[in-house]
Amino acid sequence: MIKAESPDDGGKQLSTLQALAIFLERRSLVMLALGFASGLPNLLIFDTLSAWLRDAGLSLEVIGIFSLATLAYSVKFLWAPLVDRAAIPGLTGRLGHRRSWMLVCQALIMAALLAISGVDPARSLPAMAGLAIFVGFVSATQDIVIDAWRIEAAGAERAGALAAAYQWGYRIAMILAGILPLVLSDALGWGGSYALMAGLMLAGTAGVLAAPRETRHEIRPLGGDGAPSRPGRDALEWTGRGALVLAAAGLLGSGLSGDPFLIRAPLSALGLNGLAEAVAALWASKPGGAIAQVASAVGGLAVLSGAVLPLPGAPTRPGRFLFSALGEPLADFARRHSGAAGLILALICVYRLPDFVLNIMNPFYLDLGFSKLEIAEIRKVLGVVMSVAGVGLGGWAVARLGLIRALVIGAFAGPVSNLAFAWLTLQGPQVWALAVAISLDNIASGFAGTCLIAYMSSLTSQGFTASQYALFSSLYALLGKLVASQSGRLVEGVARMADAGGPTAALRALLGPAPAGAFSEAALKSGVSAAGLGAGYVTFFVYSALLGALGVILALAVAARERRRPAGREPDQTPA
């Protein structure tokens, strides 16, 4: 296993050609295939499957239930310790720890997709639902182990390139999984299309077989042996702690995924239907729903902490076991980054805030006066191309400039690109201006995303790679969900303030050059003037850029901390 290097920039700096050459290395090509295998099942069990179910005549309410198949992605860190610690009998010795897990996951995904291809949803809906949930669970597990292999195979110089290759493969798979089954469903039927998709998973299998095997994998021992064995008491404690873990999973899954099913279902089973419906209504409300979801996720973490912490002064086997499995990865992170763990977690949570708050972009484009066709052509074609370019640019920057320097540049890129939409607001519905704004935003988003993935990867340690990265990737969007819930209210609130002669009234004059008709229809719906609505959008995009200042400040603080660390000294972590 290649040594997991420090995230500092003290290592060897690569030339431009050397940085680009990394993308053609064996590990990068393997990562492209593994990213493809990761992205393919994701869309097949929800978005594309929804089209099949609708074509079969099922109601939207029934189709919506299938979103539960993706819940596993939100709480995958709960079983990530299993991926770090458990060997696959008969395979781990031959293939290595990570490759054996990937191969088993891919075989199960292919088998389940083939099984789905033979199911008629109109006659066997429960069977299809069960298979979809199974694919979601195994696919989330595959993501855990692919991320772990990527981190352990990278090293500081290759972290960005492998993160970029993963995203490229993932995006290619999402495009194919969204288009091919729909195009081929008339000729092959939905079942035949899904059988073909199962066959495409062989690309991931080829990637696994071509992947370098780790030279060593450290399996950290689970605690518990030192505590006295008391079967009766241990059984009761296991029951109580297990119930808390399940409750935590329900709260976390409902909060992180935005679907309260894991809270509603137990309430309904207990006959509390009124309370279950109230929870559903709360989750759907604005902005209360976002606040409730964040509170649910935070509450789930609190409950999980209670479930895994050992009893003070009374060591027990269940307590030591659970803390070793679920608590020790976070404790290890806190120890290795003593004095800076909070700073680092804060950076992870706010780094992508400028992107997360842009949850009103489709209404914005329509309000500004663009047609749906114009929006689709530029966002889905040019936007995808620019996003792929941004991802590659991020991978190159990590290799050429070093991880921390690239991370700081990415922190600036998000806020600056958001200002392009403020500029677009002043131009009106000009297609060329839309192309410029979306290009800048997608390049910046792809760049920053790659840098963040590489940085989160650098924070993991040997033996806890899967557990720690799964936790980081599950939590990094939590704050963004809460802040984004206020986007629409902010635009309309500022618009009314501008119309009333408030501090933003001066922005109305800037809307003069915009072509006639911009915001006119949308203004009627919101009960404000067109100029006022334009002022609201300009203010919102400036506000979203200012939110990015938090990420910039924290990124600079992390960079300063890295510079202060003595040369050659790394965080206290075991080499991979």
Side-chain angles (χ1 to χ4, degrees), residues 156-175:
E157 294 172 352
R158 294 171 176 80
L162 264 63
Y166 174 84
Q167 292 183 84
W168 284 337
Y170 197 96
R171 291 165 193 250
I172 292 170
M174 294 284 279
I175 292 171

Side-chain angles (χ1 to χ4, degrees), residues 199-253:
L200 290 181
M201 283 294 296
L202 290 172
T205 303
V208 172
L209 297 178
R213 172 178 174 168
E214 70 266 20
T215 57
R216 179 175 63 87
H217 177 77
E218 177 185 345
I219 297 180
R220 306 220 181 193
L222 286 171
D225 293 340
S229 177
R230 298 174 181 173
R233 191 189 71 175
D234 287 351
L236 289 175
E237 186 176 342
W238 273 119
T239 301
R241 289 182 182 271
L244 287 177
V245 170
L246 290 176
L251 291 169
L252 282 165

